[in-house]
Amino acid sequence: MDYVFKSKDNNYTIIICEATYAKIILECEKYINLETGGILIGNYSKDNSIAYIKDSINSPNDSKHYPHKFFRGTNGVNKILDKKWEEGVYYLGEWHYHPNTSSKSSKLDDIQMLKFSNNKKLNCPEPILIIIGGNPSKWSLNSYIYKNNEKIILEKGNMS
């Protein structure tokens, strides 16, 4: 069962495959009281209205995990992204975990993602941010797209 998120105007949809969601949750459980995160991998529909998140890269080994902050490392990321590109999927954005708290984006999250959206080297003008909050007794998830210096909030829709 996939997880579906839609913008209020229905112009944007994010679909997270169940296996990727499970992989992300396992990483959150590994760092249960520390923030963690990674990269979202996938592709878009022909009209670019739907982002299909098909895989994720967990935190590289040079990442820094703290109770209230996370700095994603870069070790090995380019090599993995190059391999994924050859498989027909690519960087779509970032995910991270807010342990035992809300899955809403922080001001720092928003600033970082807006920087990513304006970074020509990333070649991703509309990066996605998925935030997992809570803990194993109750997970929450929020999703956002950053485009043209604004944050678009996507609401959880029906599972597909």
Side-chain angles (χ1 to χ4, degrees), residues 46-58:
K46 287 187 182 191
D47 66 358
N48 290 329
S49 66
I50 303 172
Y52 299 99
I53 299 174
K54 298 180 176 183
D55 198 0
S56 65
I57 299 171
N58 289 339

Side-chain angles (χ1 to χ4, degrees), residues 105 110 113-114 117 125-127 129 144-147 150-151:
S105 66
D110 294 337
M113 293 308 293
L114 288 169
S117 73
E126 299 174 7
L129 175 62
Y144 310 92
I145 294 174
Y146 295 81
K147 177 182 178 181
E150 76 173 281
K151 173 173 74 172

Side-chain angles (χ1 to χ4, degrees), residues 72 91 93-94 111-120 122-125 127:
R72 181 181 56 75
Y91 176 93
E94 304 281 324
I111 289 168
Q112 184 63 55
M113 293 308 293
L114 288 169
K115 283 182 185 176
F116 285 170
S117 73
N118 291 309
N119 184 336
K120 302 286 186 221
L122 280 179
N123 196 23
C124 187

Side-chain angles (χ1 to χ4, degrees), residues 85-151:
W85 182 267
E86 291 171 9
E87 296 170 6
V89 290
Y90 39 86
Y91 176 93
L92 294 182
E94 304 281 324
W95 73 268
H96 76 265
Y97 170 50
H98 290 169
N100 303 307
T101 191
S102 168
S103 57
K104 292 188 175 169
S105 66
S106 68
K107 188 160 185 82
L108 186 60
D109 294 331
D110 294 337
I111 289 168
Q112 184 63 55
M113 293 308 293
L114 288 169
K115 283 182 185 176
F116 285 170
S117 73
N118 291 309
N119 184 336
K120 302 286 186 221
K121 289 181 182 177
L122 280 179
N123 196 23
C124 187
E126 299 174 7
I128 295 167
L129 175 62
I130 302 288
I131 299 181
I132 307 288
N135 57 57
S137 67
K138 184 169 183 184
W139 297 113
S140 65
L141 191 146
N142 276 301
S143 61
Y144 310 92
I145 294 174
Y146 295 81
K147 177 182 178 181
N148 297 329
N149 289 317
E150 76 173 281
K151 173 173 74 172

